[in-house]
């Protein structure tokens, strides 16, 4: 009885909390029109959101609320022995298991809502804002100057932190001073310094550990780790397995060394992590000293903390995957105990990601939960696909007439701005329609696959045609999931840019508050991308940070250009004669090109390279160029000119070439690592191997100079059926693109006489060329086009698995039905089909370029080409 009473209370509180959480959110977007209290002249609009509303609601209002709640508690919802069951069942089912799941979901949502509303109350009370604007919380103990421990003497920079602990090293964007657990809320400087010291030590150890995971994959010391045990360095495995191989005496040495460093060498000073030994403690050997420039010092310390934090995450991840898979580099194919494998053959598991569940939502292996989430994903995806089309379509077509009394469809703006234009009755209709579809038309059936509704046909047409079971159905359903996932990303991006710019199509010229505009005229801002910073590195508008990053970009680019040449030169010109290392008997000719050279160059050679790089860096003043406002200008000007415009162009070209080189050298590393050579095989591949991507090297479309080109590895699984389906799609798209390209050009010289639509009094001459035609063709015209395309695709030219892709039984040359058939000359036929593919590919690129240019300059005439 006590349990039931408590469960009853929990359910009630959860239901109230769910309403309360919704009540916090809804008033931000919608409030009732009219008056809450006509006698007091109090309108709904006057009542603020959140806790501030408590003082606005009049006494009579509170009396009504209490009386209403009491009436329901005492007379309407009487306890009948089943907690939460008062006769009216919004959540019900004839299946006991399904009912139990729904009720469990209600309790779970109620618990979440109770946590949510408490959090909303808390931040509302602290900040005075229903949505918790923490910039208003000036009393935060994290911002106070704090109380220092009695008698504690600190260095000058630690005597009076300018705002509690805000602004110290480690307080960096985007998080700022981040202390969610409130460790620093007591303002105790001693505790803060101790924790910062520990963080720095852990970060430094983690950075070494991360490097220690990576380096042994490419290099191990020669000789013995323990001569007495006969243990060589080469015998010690990488990763966690090494723990069981290192002898006890080795562990004793490691602990003794670490203890010696901790207790004798690195004595604490007034600043956490500063032991007076300089960079990498080289000052102990007289090779370095502490950095004296305060600005440079703060930046380097901030970088160290950031890198240390990243390394702590990295090494934990490495330990985790090493422990699960038994491999230092985490070969997940070895993790046979993964519960995620239960769903590896489900719909939606597609290349290149495979089964993707980074949050471990399916780790419990619960099939019912998986199906529920898959059904939710499908619904959200289908809605997102419709929403994405709903963003695009109104730009080209709107219904004539009225949406509501006095409101025309033409008056409703596209995008988020439409939310406030649709009347309340319209929203009610939308919700009722969705509820009807959800609860009656497309009711979930546990005996069917997620998203498969008994009376739902293709495209959701009730009782329409359905797909036959088999491989074709699986492919189409997988395509639906892939498109839905893309649409969910797309609609989120559309909302984001619409919200920032106030334009459904995201006209960023309207986003005048963007801090990125501070750098729009800098070097490297070039067409067609313009100023490109998708990660928002420059969002803070910090000029110094921008210049430092630009200098880094230039250095990396210059090295990449040299590296690219270094990949190519030994293959074409040859190698230096003589010895690279006479003492080691190592000739230049013995060093392979590419990644294979890493293991051949002796460690003295690597030391010379590192020392040379440090020397060059030292001679250039360790960042003197960007500090003086000229990133990349190191005094020696190979790229210069007396004409400022020419100089600007040369410098722009250098940045563009270096960006290309950075991409190129990464691709060279990748290809070299994949095929194991830097010779011609790196570019043209190996002999065909059945069941691999090379199996398609002799197919149509493999033509010089590119050869077999599949940079994304779409055919890496060697699946012939998938290859044929993609080739069919390529041919269709290419054929359509060839017609489209001709359709862009022909109307400039010829148009049909007469009417396109006599009923609409629309002549062919009235239809503009290019994208502008989309808004001129009447709705019935689009319907005819879609019906015609569907008739051709599903009726006239149906795919036949026994024939080559794009080869239709009743289609002759140029697609003329039942016209001249295949050519008897096999070689001539192959040439023509290869030409068709090449022309189709060119046409796809051409039509995209035409649409881009047309959309940019607004014409398809000579101005489109820049004349």
């Amino acid at each position: 009885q006590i349990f039931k009473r408590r469960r009853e209370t929990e359910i009630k509180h959860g239901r109230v909390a769910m309403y309360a959480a919704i009540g916090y959110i809804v008033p931000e977007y919608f409030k009732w029109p009219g008056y809450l209290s006509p006698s007091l002249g109090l309108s709904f609009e006057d009542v603020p959101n959140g806790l501030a509303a408590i003082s606005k609601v009049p006494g009579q209002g509170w009396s009504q609320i209490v009386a209403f709640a009491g009436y329901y508690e005492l007379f309407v919802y009487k306890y009948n022995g089943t907690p939460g069951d008062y006769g009216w069942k919004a959540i019900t089912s004839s299946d006991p298991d399904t009912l139990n799941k729904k009720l469990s979901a209600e309790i779970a949502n109620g618990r979440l809502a109770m946590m949510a509303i408490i959090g909303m109350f808390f931040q509302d009370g602290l900040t005075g804002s229903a949505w918790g604007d923490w910039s208003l919380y000036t009393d935060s103990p994290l911002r106070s100057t704090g109380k220092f421990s009695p008698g504690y003497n600190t260095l000058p920079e630690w005597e009076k932190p300018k705002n509690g602990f805000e602004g110290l090293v480690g307080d960096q964007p985007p998080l700022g001073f981040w202390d969610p657990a409130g460790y620093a809320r007591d303002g105790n400087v001693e505790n803060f310094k101790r924790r910062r010291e520990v963080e720095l030590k852990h970060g430094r150890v983690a950075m070494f550990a991360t490097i220690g995971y990576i380096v042994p994959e490419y290099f191990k010391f020669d000789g013995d780790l323990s001569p007495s045990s006969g243990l060589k360095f080469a015998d010690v495995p990488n990763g966690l397995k090494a723990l069981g191989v290192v002898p006890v005496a080795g562990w004793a040495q490691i602990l003794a060394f670490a203890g010696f460093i901790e207790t004798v060498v690195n004595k604490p000073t007034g600043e956490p992590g500063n032991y007076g030994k300089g960079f990498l403690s080289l000052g102990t050997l007289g090779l370095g000293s502490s950095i004296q420039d305060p600005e440079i010092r703060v930046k380097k310390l901030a970088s160290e903390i950031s890198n240390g934090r990243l390394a702590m995450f990295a090494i934990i991840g490495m330990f985790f995957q090493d422990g699960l898979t038994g491999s230092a580099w985490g070969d997940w194919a070895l993790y046979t105990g993964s519960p995620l494998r239960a769903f590896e053959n489900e719909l939606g598991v597609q290349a290149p990601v495979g089964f993707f569940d980074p949050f471990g939502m399916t780790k419990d292996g619960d099939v019912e939960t998986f199906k529920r989430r898959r059904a939710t994903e499908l619904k959200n995806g289908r809605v997102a696909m419709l929403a994405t089309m709903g963003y695009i379509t109104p730009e080209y077509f709107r219904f004539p007439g009225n949406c509501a009394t006095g409101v025309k469809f033409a008056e409703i703006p596209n995008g988020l701005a439409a939310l406030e234009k649709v009347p309340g009755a319209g929203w009610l209709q939308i919700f009722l329609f969705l509820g009807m579809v959800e609860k009656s038309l497309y009711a979930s059936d546990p005996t069917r696959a997620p998203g498969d509704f008994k009376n739902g046909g293709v495209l959701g047409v009730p009782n329409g045609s359905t797909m036959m079971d088999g491989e074709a159905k699986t492919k189409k359903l997988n395509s639906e999931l892939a498109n839905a996932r893309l649409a969910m990303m797309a609609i989120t991006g559309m909302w984001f840019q619409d919200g920032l710019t106030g334009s459904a199509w995201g006209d960023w010229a309207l986003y005048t508050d963007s801090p990125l505009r501070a750098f729009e005229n800098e070097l490297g801002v070039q067409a067609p991308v313009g100023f490109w910073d998708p990660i928002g590195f420059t969002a803070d508008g910090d000029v110094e940070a921008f210049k430092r990053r630009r200098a880094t970009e230039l250095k990396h680019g210059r090295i990449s250009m040299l590296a690219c040449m270094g990949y190519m030169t030994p293959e074409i010109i040859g190698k230096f004669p003589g010895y690279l290392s006479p003492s080691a008997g190592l000739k230049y000719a013995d060093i392979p090109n590419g990644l294979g050279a890493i293991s051949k160059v002796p460690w003295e050679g690597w030391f010379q390279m590192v020392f040379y790089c440090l020397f060059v860096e030292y001679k250039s003043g360790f960042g003197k160029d960007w500090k003086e406002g000229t990133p990349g200008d190191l005094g020696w000007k190979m790229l210069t000119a007396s004409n400022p415009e020419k100089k600007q162009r040369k410098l722009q070209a250098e940045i563009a070439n270096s960006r290309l080189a950075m991409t190129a050298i990464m691709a060279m590393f990748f290809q070299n690592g994949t095929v194991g050579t830097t010779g011609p095989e790196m570019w043209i591949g190996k002999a065909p191997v059945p069941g691999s991507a090379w199996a398609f090297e002799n197919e149509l479309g493999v033509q010089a100079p590119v050869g077999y080109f599949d940079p994304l590895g779409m055919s890496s699984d060697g699946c012939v059926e998938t290859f044929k389906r993609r080739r069919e799609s390529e041919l269709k798209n290419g054929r359509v693109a060839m017609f489209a390209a001709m359709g862009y050009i022909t109307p400039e010289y010829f148009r049909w006489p007469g009417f396109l639509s006599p009923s609409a009094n629309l002549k062919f001459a009235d239809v503009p060329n290019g994208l502008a035609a989309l808004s001129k063709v009447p709705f019935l015209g689009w319907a005819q086009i879609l019906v015609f395309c569907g008739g051709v695709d599903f009726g006239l030219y149906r795919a036949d698995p026994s024939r080559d892709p794009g080869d239709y039984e009743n289609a002759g040359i140029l697609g003329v039905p039942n016209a001249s058939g295949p050519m008897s000359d096999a070689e001539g036929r192959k040439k023509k089909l290869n030409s068709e593919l090449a022309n189709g590919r060119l046409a796809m690129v051409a039509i995209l370029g035409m649409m881009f240019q047309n959309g940019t300059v607004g014409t398809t005439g000579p101005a489109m080409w820049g004349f």
Side-chain angles (χ1 to χ4, degrees), residues 264-339:
V264 178
V265 178
N266 288 344
K267 295 289 185 67
T269 63
E271 182 182 17
N274 181 10
Y275 305 111
K277 303 295 192 301
F279 177 66
L280 289 178
S281 293
L282 293 177
T284 310
L285 305 176
L287 299 178
S289 60
S290 297
I291 301 167
Q292 301 302 315
D293 187 323
E295 288 189 14
I296 297 176
R297 190 167 175 275
V298 167
K299 286 184 179 178
K300 288 187 179 288
L301 291 174
S303 298
E304 181 190 32
I305 285 184
S306 294
N307 293 338
R309 290 167 177 169
L310 180 62
M312 287 188 274
F313 275 103
I315 196 64
I316 291 294
M318 289 174 170
F319 288 158
F320 182 78
Q321 65 181 10
D322 187 357
L324 282 179
T325 66
S327 165
W329 283 90
D331 184 353
W332 289 99
L334 303 175
Y335 184 32
T336 55
S338 171

Side-chain angles (χ1 to χ4, degrees), residues 15 115 222 265 320 359 373 461 617 647 649 664 723 790:
R15 290 169 177 169
M115 295 292 291
D222 297 323
V265 178
F320 182 78
F359 293 111
R373 290 187 177 125
V461 178
E617 190 75 14
K647 180 181 178 182
R649 284 183 187 174
F723 176 84

Side-chain angles (χ1 to χ4, degrees), residues 141-154:
L142 306 181
R143 297 192 167 184
S144 65
T145 55
K147 295 180 179 179
F148 305 151
S149 301
Y152 189 82
N153 295 318
T154 61

